[in-house]
Amino acid sequence: MTIMLVTGTGTEIGKTVVTAAVAALALGAGRRVAVLKPAQTGVTSEEPGDVDEVLRLAGELTTSELARYPEPLAPATAAARSGLPPVSPEQIAKEAARLALDHDLVLVEGAGGLLVRYDEQGSTLAEVPRALDALGHACTVLLVTTAGLGTLNTTALTAEALRSRGVALLGLVIGAWPAEPDLAARCNLADLPVVAGAPLLGALPAGLTGDGPSYDGADRVSLRSTARSCLAPALGGVWDGLETALPGISR
């Protein structure tokens, strides 16, 4: 059993597609997978959220969502404005631990960046590992980041925030690698693991998810194949870092 927190250096950087890619590889390996979204913001109860997107992309798995707020804001702000109760790290940990009882992999996808506030006390996803430890469960943290200029600073700050809390970082994944990377993106492939103090575990191509309402079986096989070639063995793939070329990068 593994609990993995998928967090990011910001919003709209590919956390959901990375979560789906990791889930797809685990499903392909015959593992029982659950995906937990503690707080979904910016969608109504009738609209599809991030867990629905993971289902669309990866296939059948268990999903859980603790709270949903209609306005596209940080969870604490969205909860306060909606009059709905916020979500605490303890609640997140309890639900992840419950799912871990009968699943081999539990993926917990955060909202926005690591230190986005979930309640009025300032709780963040970074407090969840300690809450899980109190329940007798360990977890790993996967950080989704961007490819281009500015990513080194946000990645370094997020990694530092994890270290200051005694939370180990499993590694980094670039959520949307451009088809035509510029000089900064190409250089960042080598620089990102240095500033984070953690390995680069993959880079998913931009536009991987498509725009259709659903993936059919062939689409999911294609996604799984792409994930396998673009993610490292630690995530179920075969990517061997800079030894394997990415678009715009020669070996």
Side-chain angles (χ1 to χ4, degrees):
M1 174 275 299
T2 300
I3 299 174
M4 180 182 294
L5 306 187
V6 182
T7 188
T9 57
T11 191
E12 300 297 327
I13 61 170
K15 291 189 301 296
T16 300
V17 69
V18 170
T19 299
V22 174
L25 289 177
L27 288 170
R31 302 177 72 190
R32 299 166 299 170
V33 181
V35 173
L36 167 61
K37 183 74 176 184
Q40 175 73 66
T41 67
V43 293
T44 66
S45 58
E46 293 80 23
E47 295 174 312
D50 289 344
V51 293
D52 300 293
E53 179 71 352
V54 174
L55 277 171
R56 182 180 80 89
L57 297 172
E60 289 304 313
L61 44 74
T62 302
T63 63
S64 178
E65 191 180 87
L66 296 182
R68 177 173 287 211
Y69 310 112
E71 295 180 316
L73 303 168
T77 305
R81 286 179 53 84
S82 68
L84 296 170
V87 177
S88 70
E90 290 74 23
Q91 288 174 292
I92 298 170
K94 286 180 181 178
E95 179 64 2
R98 183 189 71 81
L99 291 168
L101 291 175
D102 51 9
H103 292 86
D104 304 306
L105 175 65
V106 179
L107 297 164
V108 183
E109 184 192 338
L114 174 69
L115 298 186
V116 164
R117 291 162 56 96
Y118 277 74
D119 58 27
E120 293 180 353
Q121 288 70 47
S123 301
T124 71
L125 196 71
E127 277 76 60
V128 173
R130 181 176 296 180
L132 278 167
D133 185 65
L135 297 175
H137 290 269
C139 72
T140 58
V141 177
L142 184 65
L143 177 60
V144 182
T145 189
T146 56
L149 194 65
T151 191
L152 298 180
N153 181 60
T154 54
T155 300
L157 288 171
T158 305
E160 183 176 299
L162 287 167
R163 281 194 300 272
S164 71
R165 290 164 172 80
V167 179
L169 176 58
L170 175 67
L172 317 171
V173 172
I174 295 172
W177 178 256
E180 298 181 0
D182 59 15
L183 177 61
R186 297 196 301 272
C187 291
N188 287 339
L189 284 175
D191 292 340
L192 277 167
V194 175
V195 301
L200 181 64
L201 297 179
L204 296 178
L208 181 60
T209 61
D211 298 319
S214 65
Y215 262 28
D216 61 20
D219 289 325
R220 289 184 176 130
V221 169
S222 177
L223 171 70
R224 188 176 299 163
S225 176
T226 301
R228 186 171 185 271
S229 64
C230 294
L231 296 179
L235 300 176
V238 298
W239 190 69
D240 55 3
L242 299 186
E243 294 302 313
T244 298
L246 292 168
I249 302 291
S250 298
R251 289 188 61 171

